Amino acid sequence: GRELAMSDPDERALRILSDHSRALTFLIADGVVPSNEDRGYILRRIMRRAIQQGRRIGIAPGFLPTFVDVVIATMGEAYPELERERESIMLWARSEEEGFGRTLEQGTRLLDEVIARVGDSATIPAEDAFQLHDTFGFPVEVTTDIAAEHGLAVDTEGFDALMEGQRALARRGARADSGAGGLRARARELAMHAGSQTDFTGYETLEQHTTVGAVGDADGEGNLLVTLAESPFYATGGGQVADIGTVECEVGDCAARVVDVVRLGDDQALVVQATSGELQPGERVVARVDRAARTATQANHTATHLLHAALRERLGTHVRQAGSYVGPDKLRFDFAHGERISPEDLVWIEDRVNEWILRNDPMRPITTTLEEARGLGAMALFGEKYGDVVRMVQIGDGTYSRELCGGTHVRSTAEIGVFKLLSESSSAANVRRIEAITGPAAVATLRATDATARQAAALLKTGVERLPEAIGELRDRAKQAAKAAASGNGAAAGVDSDALAAGAIQIAGADVVAEIVSGAGGAKELMDVADRIKGRLGEESATVLGAAVDGRVHLVAAVTPALVARGVKAGAIVKAAATVAGGGGGGRDTMAQAGGRDAEKLPEAIAAARAAIEAALT
């Protein structure tokens, strides 16, 4: 419904939409997802600028997937990955437009209030523009455009100063990992003087007779750096931790314990602690990997590939690895996904992985060209640098799992034994995290859970099979007792916290209650209600309650630690709400309260709190 010839501003907006639609389509196809950091932040800014431009010239909501569809239709023949990743691209385009659209609507309403307050002063203060940007996620560019339509300017110099102050605070809080960087630099220098590159033999053997290449100081605290001509030790990389083990002289007069292995591209250096004698360059030694640790680690690594395949099968092909940890103790897998995984889906995923384990499918590491691996549909980690020749790990016939991977794996899936999910949580915006265990660790956990269930059943004088029912009955009695004790002890006793909890809305996978409470007498009563609501919601929840008492506004916020980790702070939420109601306040990240003078602004204050939560999560 728009033509380039209409006007210069419209033409500019349409050209931005065209350019940004191409950029976001290709970025998502390459595995980038919108987030608040690194490449995901760049993608999010591109998407939000496109959304803002489309809204500005009056295109009806829901247009971004349409633009994406045109990009795929126009360029998909030359770039087949666009069609292959269509589902993922469309998912993120839809969700980002819906989420940012709500931010734009809320921010525009708040900006209108600022404009009305500013009146004829001609300039919107930097503090207001910064609050819209920092608290509500409302871009300063949008503030400037809307202000210009009303003949107003924005104090951009003051805004830039506030932004720089925030950046300086973040820089002071960041801690540089200088220790690890120094160790790597020393290891690289040692490897350069070793005479030859280490040949990794750890795929074939856990014990290697070899020669010491070079020896140097690791950290000035007694640890040594050692290079070997051949090494069975896997160096940290691809999410997998380094092997541990021993290096012993063939003649038996020296020994050292391997505590870390530093990866230096295709080379490596061992970090060792001498236990007897001294390792010398040219010494013949026996290098032995700790078999138990390696076995547990490779079981967890293969299980990670199975988990990735199950997630993509159940949730969709938009699921992509966003980070991992693979060690002997557990596996942790971060992946792109925009919402909490339901309990039913988690059960399905766990069952699917165990089904593949029971099939005893063989693991096949295949050395091939990068082009052929991609042609076979092998998954690659975005941002990793691959050479022309790669190692592809295939499970079974490869129909459900092919990944480019340099890690160590079991010979067949049955060696994993059993797979048990431990937790599912948020790692960052649009990134979920699953932790799991396998093998003996999983069996031990299952036995401990059984023992706990039997103890609980014995205390409740019931059978294990009736435990949920018995706990429910006990909880109901506790509720009735609490209500009886609370009756007549304050106005909050009459507030239906169950109904408030049942009305929670979902924002980016979190349970959010943001409501006005009638019948609460003040901040203390609101705190009691908020605490009861929090106990009825999930591990990722935020509760904001407000009440007007004798013409004054009382506000409280309660945020679970899991949501605090995602950037939602109770103090910041009540401050944003109280500002609207003409007041202030604060408190801890998990619990805070505030007050205001304008009771008529209470609905808008609650809306501001809800917007602040959404901005922090999206």
Side-chain angles (χ1 to χ4, degrees):
R2 294 290 183 276
E3 297 178 0
L4 293 181
M6 284 187 62
S7 67
D8 288 341
D10 279 2
E11 177 170 342
R12 178 174 178 272
L14 289 170
R15 291 191 183 280
I16 289 171
L17 275 165
S18 174
D19 175 83
H20 287 24
S21 295
R22 286 195 300 272
L24 70 92
T25 300
F26 276 88
L27 281 168
I28 298 172
D30 267 347
V32 186
V33 299
S35 69
N36 293 329
E37 57 188 21
D38 301 328
R39 57 183 180 259
Y41 175 68
I42 302 301
L43 171 60
R44 170 159 280 170
R45 288 198 62 177
I46 289 171
M47 298 180 78
R48 290 188 168 186
R49 188 166 186 237
I51 295 163
Q52 186 265 326
Q53 290 293 325
R55 290 291 185 94
R56 187 181 66 79
I57 62 175
I59 303 179
F63 60 86
L64 198 58
T66 305
F67 274 74
V68 165
D69 200 42
V70 172
V71 174
I72 296 173
T74 305
M75 311 186 80
E77 185 175 352
Y79 300 93
E81 66 268 24
L82 300 184
E83 189 62 53
R84 187 171 62 244
E85 300 296 332
R86 171 187 288 273
E87 179 187 348
S88 179
I89 300 168
M90 288 297 187
L91 182 146
W92 293 116
R94 259 192 314 272
S95 64
E96 191 67 17
E97 183 175 356
E98 290 171 1
F100 187 54
R102 291 191 294 269
T103 298
L104 281 176
E105 292 172 5
Q106 176 65 26
T108 301
R109 287 197 297 271
L110 294 172
L111 179 57
D112 287 343
E113 294 180 7
V114 172
I115 291 172
R117 188 178 74 247
V118 168
D120 298 329
S121 65
T123 302
I124 291 178
E127 292 78 9
D128 289 313
F130 182 75
Q131 184 187 29
L132 283 167
H133 167 85
D134 189 54
T135 303
F136 301 101
F138 198 68
V140 68
E141 298 86 0
V142 182
T143 299
T144 302
D145 289 345
I146 295 176
E149 293 173 3
H150 290 78
L152 301 173
V154 177
D155 180 5
T156 53
E157 290 186 6
F159 175 86
D160 290 341
L162 290 171
M163 283 295 296
E164 181 54 37
Q166 187 184 61
R167 293 190 192 104
L169 186 63
R171 285 195 294 269
R172 286 197 297 271
R175 297 180 178 177
D177 189 9
S178 57
L183 175 64
R184 186 175 299 278
R186 288 189 288 273
R188 184 171 286 110
E189 183 178 358
L190 181 72
M192 289 174 60
H193 292 88
S196 63
Q197 181 172 294
T198 299
D199 181 20
F200 175 61
T201 60
Y203 294 139
E204 297 83 24
T205 183
L206 298 183
E207 182 176 312
Q208 178 71 52
H209 288 259
T210 184
T211 304
V212 175
V215 179
D217 178 64
D219 51 19
E221 298 180 3
N223 291 330
L224 298 175
L225 283 166
V226 176
T227 66
L228 302 176
E230 300 90 14
S231 169
F233 295 100
Y234 182 83
T236 301
Q240 181 175 330
V241 301
D243 283 327
I244 57 175
T246 60
V247 175
E248 299 176 350
C249 292
E250 285 186 340
V251 296
D253 61 349
C254 69
R257 187 160 55 92
V258 178
V259 296
D260 197 6
V261 187
V262 181
R263 183 178 296 274
L264 304 169
D266 293 329
D267 205 355
Q268 63 168 239
L270 311 181
V271 180
V272 306
Q273 295 174 347
T275 54
S276 65
E278 292 185 10
L279 292 172
Q280 298 291 339
E283 189 97 47
R284 290 293 296 174
V285 294
V286 182
R288 294 187 180 91
V289 175
D290 184 305
R291 184 176 296 273
R294 166 70 82 85
T295 299
T297 300
Q298 62 192 22
N300 282 335
H301 202 153
T302 305
T304 300
H305 285 215
L306 296 177
L307 172 61
H308 194 183
L311 287 165
R312 287 173 62 84
E313 183 177 343
R314 183 67 171 182
L315 304 180
T317 57
H318 66 278
V319 169
R320 286 178 178 267
Q321 180 176 343
S324 68
Y325 164 87
V326 178
D329 54 332
K330 66 178 180 181
L331 68 90
R332 182 179 69 236
F333 188 68
D334 292 351
F335 56 97
H337 188 59
E339 60 186 8
R340 178 188 299 170
I341 302 176
S342 70
E344 294 77 17
D345 283 340
L346 289 174
V347 169
W348 188 97
I349 290 163
E350 186 176 80
D351 286 346
R352 188 62 161 147
V353 173
N354 281 301
E355 176 189 332
W356 284 327
I357 290 171
L358 288 172
R359 276 169 43 171
N360 197 25
D361 285 335
M363 294 290 302
R364 291 183 59 207
I366 303 170
T367 300
T368 183
T369 64
L370 179 60
E371 183 177 356
E372 183 179 353
R374 284 177 168 163
L376 290 169
M379 297 292 295
L381 185 60
F382 183 88
E384 284 288 312
K385 292 183 174 64
Y386 298 99
D388 293 333
V389 177
V390 296
R391 182 174 186 261
M392 180 179 73
V393 174
Q394 174 177 301
I395 304 178
D397 61 3
T399 54
Y400 63 90
S401 180
R402 283 193 182 105
E403 297 195 28
L404 300 186
C405 179
T408 62
H409 290 271
V410 298
R411 291 166 297 182
S412 64
T413 57
E415 291 184 12
I416 298 170
V418 65
F419 173 85
K420 176 62 180 171
L421 286 175
L422 293 179
S423 65
E424 188 273 341
S425 62
S426 171
S427 172
N430 291 326
V431 177
R432 305 299 296 178
R433 169 172 291 175
I434 281 180
E435 292 191 351
I437 49 178
T438 64
V443 173
T445 297
L446 292 169
R447 284 176 174 167
T449 302
D450 285 345
T452 300
R454 286 194 298 271
Q455 291 172 3
L459 290 171
L460 292 173
K461 294 181 173 56
T462 188
V464 172
E465 69 282 355
R466 280 200 71 255
L467 195 54
E469 184 180 346
I471 292 174
E473 293 171 356
L474 183 64
R475 183 185 59 191
D476 291 341
R477 290 198 298 271
K479 282 182 180 180
Q480 293 169 3
K483 286 182 179 179
S487 61
N489 291 335
V495 176
D496 191 346
S497 53
D498 285 338
L500 289 170
I505 62 172
Q506 281 272 313
I507 299 179
D511 294 322
V512 177
V513 173
E515 299 289 347
I516 297 172
V517 177
S518 301
K524 182 180 182 304
E525 287 81 4
L526 286 177
M527 284 286 192
D528 292 341
V529 177
D531 196 54
R532 295 205 299 269
I533 292 172
K534 186 171 69 171
R536 291 159 171 77
L537 300 178
E539 63 173 357
E540 293 182 16
S541 67
T543 302
V544 183
L545 303 177
V549 181
D550 297 328
R552 285 192 57 82
V553 171
H554 297 277
L555 296 159
V556 301
V559 180
T560 59
L563 215 55
V564 171
R566 291 180 61 184
V568 182
K569 309 291 179 64
I573 294 169
V574 293
K575 184 177 180 181
T579 300
V580 175
R588 305 190 310 274
D589 288 348
T590 55
M591 185 70 77
Q593 66 182 50
R597 298 182 301 274
D598 192 350
E600 292 183 358
K601 292 281 188 178
L602 180 55
E604 295 174 36
I606 294 296
R610 189 183 299 112
I613 295 170
E614 184 171 347
L617 290 172
T618 60

